[in-house]
Amino acid sequence: MIINHPLLGPRDAQEFVYLGDARLIHRPDGLAEGAAHAFHDYLYLRDNPAGEHRELWYHEQGDRSWLVVTRNTVTHEISRVELARDVARAEGRSK
Amino acid sequence: MRYSGLRVIAEALTGHKGWKPVWRDPAPQPSYDHVIVGGGGHGLATAYYLAKEFRQARIAVLEKGYLGGGNVGRNTTIIRSNYLLDGNQPFYEFSLKLWEGLEQDFNYNAMVSQRGIMNLIHTDAQRDAFTRRGNAMILNGADAQMLTRDQVRAIYPFLNFDDARFPIKGALAQRRGGTVRHDAVAWGYARGADQRGVDLIQNCEVTGFRIEGGRIKGVETTRGYIGAGKVGVAVAGSSSRVMAHAGMRLPIESHVLQAFVSEGLKPLIDGVMTFGAGHFYVSQSDKGGLVFGGDIDGYNSYAQRGNLPVIEDVAEGGMALMPMLGRARLLRAWGGIMDMSMDGSPIIDRTHIDGLYFNGGWCYGGFKATPASGWCFAHLLATDQPHKTATAYRFDRFLKGRMIDEKGQGATPNLH
């Protein structure tokens, strides 16, 4: 698989480390009511879809950026690559 | 029809005209007491033991494709019970004991071959860890044996014993481990279940569950609605897709694992060998092909095929262990979809919906578990109580901090 890095252009997926579902960006509030259950769901439960999947890849052997890659789990086709930083900000996670 | 040597001779003398299809192709009934979703090894074993050991009737197995067409037909056929943790080892030892009596039990030649398995040791730390594992195995009633470097060399003189990075210093061996003809396992269970009145319904995909008042009523399928008293789902690889119909999210990711077979060679490796440090394992089939594999690809996939980097990695592992492997040609490579769970261990449990039961999360170790998985799932379906060797395989172990994490990797499915 080739991941088209937004800053570096097309890079071999071997340069990256895979983390998983991009929903992991949304870490629950540890002080909120029901945090134990929220963290259980966050840490252990997955949608695991067959089809389009947004997922986190880390460019360990490159610029060490985190990316959100939209990839089809049935065909392995990659349709979109974004910097995780931009995605997190757009989704209200960071300042 | 019972199989026997006499029967084979009689058929040989009469032109093999007496063999009949070994299971029926029934149309689905309006309802069953037990509906098993998934006609793979685990689903068929569940139906077989439900009928035979737990005396249940009105059982159906619903299979989306054809019987045994999934992971039971795509694995590398190894059986063993060399686990460390209390939640796992008694279960896998139960499974190995069932393997030992399986062919007589279901009167089918599954070619169970206890040719032995050895896990190679390369460092003192690894020897300590494997000694501990071997002791845990023995404590749970399994067999285990530490082999010295010379003992390994006597069995496999061609290995690369003096590799600079991973010199071979010994092995943990389990003589009772081995290989089984994987397809025959599915066929044997299917035949045994059919003989006991189980309806094996193929080309029948479950498209939804009918749930009323928190209780399962039946399943919607591509061949119409089928009522059910209890529904057991055993569809590892597609667990998340099927259980999503019941509104459940699982502690599972689907990943692709590749396997390989070389051209046929003369007898070379009489057992199973694992080279954990190099992410490579190998055995030799009765046809002579070297059957080998390594790690999962490491990203979510339902594609049943992997990518080249892992093929390269596996080939490198093989070359590091037995350099002569480079002379053999690769005949086939294929992939299967694994239910990678969050702690690397399976789930056999009730769900929050009355009458809906789940069996999955087998990671890449489901084949060896087939008999015990079927037995324990049948036990759960028939009695509503977990079998004593499967009490730890619960959904809520993640919430309660009772993970069964053999590798100690935490909630990282692609590293188990």
Side-chain angles (χ1 to χ4, degrees):
Chain A
M1 292 187 294
I2 303 291
I3 294 175
N4 194 8
H5 193 296
L7 303 176
L8 304 176
R11 311 296 302 192
D12 194 303
Q14 266 189 290
E15 296 177 6
F16 294 79
V17 172
Y18 180 82
L19 182 65
D21 196 325
R23 285 167 68 149
L24 291 170
I25 288 173
H26 295 279
R27 186 183 172 85
D29 177 0
L31 297 176
E33 191 95 356
H37 278 87
F39 266 98
H40 166 264
D41 293 358
Y42 167 78
L43 189 55
Y44 296 116
L45 302 188
R46 299 286 184 270
D47 287 340
N48 192 22
E52 202 163 84
H53 188 227
R54 291 174 78 236
E55 53 203 21
L56 288 163
W57 292 73
Y58 176 57
H59 199 189
E60 188 178 46
Q61 293 175 53
D63 70 345
R64 302 198 177 178
S65 57
W66 282 95
L67 303 181
V68 173
V69 176
T70 306
R71 192 178 57 93
N72 189 311
T73 59
V74 178
T75 64
H76 296 164
E77 184 189 9
I78 293 170
S79 54
R80 194 166 181 202
V81 184
E82 304 153 277
L83 287 172
R85 185 178 57 202
D86 296 344
V87 173
R89 280 187 179 142
E91 294 179 2
R93 285 300 300 178
S94 183
K95 291 170 212 111
Chain B
M1 180 200 303
R2 264 193 83 74
Y3 292 135
S4 66
L6 199 64
R7 175 87 198 179
V8 171
I9 293 166
E11 286 295 336
L13 295 174
T14 54
H16 290 287
K17 293 190 180 108
W19 301 116
K20 298 277 190 308
V22 294
W23 54 76
R24 300 163 292 132
D25 186 20
Q29 302 285 320
S31 77
Y32 293 93
D33 290 348
H34 297 274
V35 167
I36 311 297
V37 183
H42 292 221
L44 293 167
T46 304
Y48 173 77
Y49 290 122
L50 260 180
K52 179 169 181 285
E53 303 295 334
F54 297 93
R55 305 278 169 195
Q56 303 292 308
R58 303 205 333 121
I59 305 164
V61 176
L62 310 183
E63 166 55 44
K64 174 187 170 188
Y66 60 94
L67 297 180
N71 289 335
V72 74
R74 306 177 83 83
N75 61 77
T76 46
T77 78
I78 297 164
I79 61 169
R80 57 187 171 89
S81 67
N82 53 0
Y83 285 72
L84 173 69
L85 300 179
D86 286 344
N88 274 332
Q89 179 58 19
F91 173 84
Y92 287 102
E93 177 55 20
F94 177 49
S95 200
L96 193 52
K97 288 201 170 75
L98 288 174
W99 281 118
E100 287 173 328
L102 183 66
E103 293 164 306
Q104 287 69 34
D105 188 62
F106 66 20
N107 179 235
Y108 202 86
N109 182 10
M111 294 165 68
V112 177
S113 168
Q114 292 182 288
R115 52 184 70 185
I117 178 167
M118 67 166 71
N119 311 117
L120 297 173
I121 295 169
H122 311 280
T123 64
D124 290 344
Q126 210 177 5
R127 182 185 288 114
D128 290 348
F130 278 165
T131 304
R132 180 180 175 219
R133 177 180 295 257
N135 285 335
M137 291 159 65
I138 291 167
L139 282 171
N140 282 299
D143 66 307
Q145 188 183 359
M146 296 300 285
L147 300 183
T148 65
R149 175 184 166 97
D150 287 341
Q151 285 173 308
V152 176
R153 196 192 286 274
I155 301 168
Y156 299 126
F158 50 79
L159 296 183
N160 185 9
F161 282 84
D162 299 311
D163 183 82
R165 180 69 183 86
F166 295 119
I168 295 168
K169 305 229 170 175
L172 169 65
Q174 185 177 33
R175 303 266 178 200
R176 288 162 62 242
T179 60
V180 181
R181 169 87 171 93
H182 52 185
D183 294 318
V185 176
W187 299 333
Y189 277 126
R191 171 172 167 271
D194 180 86
Q195 285 175 342
R196 288 167 179 80
V198 175
D199 282 357
L200 307 174
I201 300 160
Q202 306 181 62
N203 297 311
C204 180
E205 181 179 359
V206 169
T207 55
F209 297 107
R210 192 173 291 180
I211 298 160
E212 289 170 15
R215 169 147 199 100
I216 196 94
K217 292 290 173 193
V219 292
E220 307 285 353
T221 78
T222 49
R223 296 180 68 174
Y225 173 77
I226 300 172
K230 292 179 176 177
V231 176
V233 177
V235 294
S238 299
S239 293
S240 296
R241 300 167 81 174
V242 173
M243 297 310 280
H245 294 312
M248 288 181 70
R249 295 175 74 218
L250 303 180
I252 286 170
E253 288 180 1
S254 294
H255 285 259
V256 60
L257 175 68
Q258 302 190 63
F260 310 87
V261 63
S262 77
E263 60 187 321
L265 303 169
K266 287 189 173 180
L268 175 67
I269 297 172
D270 66 347
V272 181
M273 201 178 348
T274 75
F275 174 35
H279 308 273
F280 177 80
Y281 67 92
V282 62
S283 65
Q284 189 168 19
S285 78
D286 292 322
K287 281 195 288 186
L290 297 180
V291 182
F292 56 94
D295 279 336
I296 57 175
D297 273 38
Y299 44 80
N300 286 38
S301 176
Y302 284 94
Q304 290 194 320
R305 60 185 165 75
N307 272 298
L308 287 170
V310 167
I311 298 178
E312 189 178 12
D313 186 60
V314 169
E316 283 172 357
M319 288 293 289
L321 180 68
M322 41 186 294
M324 66 174 172
L325 190 64
R327 295 282 181 162
R329 277 168 295 190
L330 192 62
L331 199 64
R332 290 194 302 276
W334 66 96
I337 302 306
M338 313 290 113
D339 265 12
M340 296 305 296
S341 70
M342 287 289 163
D343 60 357
S345 295
I347 294 161
I348 303 176
D349 200 5
R350 290 182 281 260
T351 67
H352 67 285
I353 295 157
D354 281 345
L356 180 62
Y357 301 79
F358 177 76
N359 175 331
W362 291 100
C363 299
Y364 40 79
F367 179 69
K368 76 177 91 69
T370 304
S373 167
W375 188 297
C376 294
F377 201 34
H379 187 284
L380 182 67
L381 282 160
T383 67
D384 255 323
Q385 296 296 322
H387 186 267
K388 64 178 191 255
T389 64
T391 53
Y393 296 151
R394 299 165 61 98
F395 272 114
D396 66 2
R397 68 176 186 259
F398 300 101
L399 188 61
K400 295 187 170 170
R402 294 179 180 275
M403 273 69 81
I404 316 165
D405 192 341
E406 290 274 340
K407 281 179 82 178
Q409 296 279 23
T412 49
N414 58 340
L415 297 181
H416 283 293

